[in-house]
Amino acid sequence: MVIGVLSVLLGIVLPTITTVRAAALRRQAAAEATALAQAAVRYKAEYGFWPGQLERKDNLSVKLNQKIGNPDAILHLIVCGPEEFTDDIEVEITDPNILKINDNAVYQAFCTVGPASGSDHPLNPLNPKGIPFLPLTNENDFERVDYPDPWGRPYRLVMGLHPRSVFTVKIKRDDTVIYEKPVSNTVAFAFSIGPVTADRGDNYIYSAGVSP
């Protein structure tokens, strides 16, 4: 009889614990996505470029990231994340010029130490003031530095660059627009795809100020 009562109690309590934990992880993801977007804005205010817009020329200097379709034209947008995300970005302007980078490129810009931290020049040229923008993982390894969501997957980050107008960014999944966001020269937003393996738009967790 005692075993039966315990089984009933466990049946009641365990789903509640699971639900509470899932909600806590989603709150953590929303807070971390917000921190990432805010870090990007702070970086731009400090250095005049979005994180990832510059890349290392060597251990002491930087250069513009030219991994774009038309290096001579105005850059409209920087999108950061896995290829399946960056390849599905659409922008409502003619001939958009988009810099598509992986998350490592952004986190390298946030590192407080450089790739040659054991040399005479330990500072990161992408962050010469050594400002701790985010609590990064593997910060001492330039190739592995990361900021994963609670489920171990990369956040997606979108940063606007067009200096004179506001335009709409569309995020697609399976040729269906799942989210639209007006973006300007001062806007950055980030999100996690959430706890499920399938990349579903109704499960995305956005940074504060950005609603699905």
Side-chain angles (χ1 to χ4, degrees):
M1 185 174 179
V2 173
I3 294 175
V5 171
L6 289 174
S7 298
V8 171
L9 290 174
L10 285 173
I12 296 172
V13 172
L14 286 179
T16 302
I17 294 175
T18 301
T19 300
V20 169
R21 173 168 171 74
L25 290 176
R26 292 184 69 86
R27 287 194 298 270
Q28 177 185 341
E32 290 178 351
T34 299
L36 174 57
Q38 291 175 341
V41 171
R42 289 199 306 273
Y43 184 95
K44 185 173 186 293
E46 189 68 41
Y47 294 120
F49 297 90
W50 288 112
Q53 193 177 356
L54 299 175
E55 59 183 0
R56 284 188 305 118
K57 183 177 181 180
D58 51 45
N59 288 339
L60 295 175
S61 59
V62 298
K63 61 181 179 179
L64 278 174
N65 192 331
Q66 296 294 325
K67 299 182 178 72
I68 51 180
N70 188 354
D72 296 323
I74 186 171
L75 182 62
H76 297 99
L77 194 70
I78 299 177
V79 291
C80 164
E83 287 185 7
E84 62 267 23
F85 163 68
T86 57
D87 287 347
D88 275 353
I89 289 287
E90 287 188 356
V91 180
E92 284 191 341
I93 51 178
T94 304
D95 298 325
N97 208 19
I98 302 174
L99 175 60
K100 300 177 180 181
I101 56 178
N102 60 38
D103 51 311
N104 180 256
V106 167
Y107 304 141
Q108 284 186 5
F110 291 149
C111 280
T112 58
V113 293
S117 57
S119 73
D120 294 334
H121 306 285
L123 289 180
N124 177 7
L126 297 170
N127 183 12
K129 297 181 181 180
I131 299 171
F133 291 98
L134 277 177
L136 302 167
T137 61
N138 304 313
E139 188 171 7
N140 291 322
D141 187 338
F142 230 55
E143 302 306 318
R144 295 177 58 239
V145 61
D146 201 3
Y147 182 72
D149 72 7
W151 302 277
R153 290 188 285 271
Y155 286 98
R156 279 70 167 157
L157 177 64
V158 178
M159 296 166 280
L161 267 158
H162 198 293
R164 299 184 185 88
S165 64
V166 175
F167 51 90
T168 299
V169 171
K170 295 183 178 180
I171 299 171
K172 296 175 62 180
R173 183 58 55 222
D174 298 327
D175 294 324
T176 300
V177 176
I178 59 175
Y179 184 71
E180 297 183 20
K181 170 68 180 175
V183 173
S184 71
N185 189 43
T186 58
V187 169
F189 68 92
F191 63 92
S192 162
I193 66 170
V196 296
T197 302
D199 193 348
R200 292 169 39 216
D202 58 359
N203 198 55
Y204 289 179
I205 304 164
Y206 289 88
S207 52
V210 179
S211 302

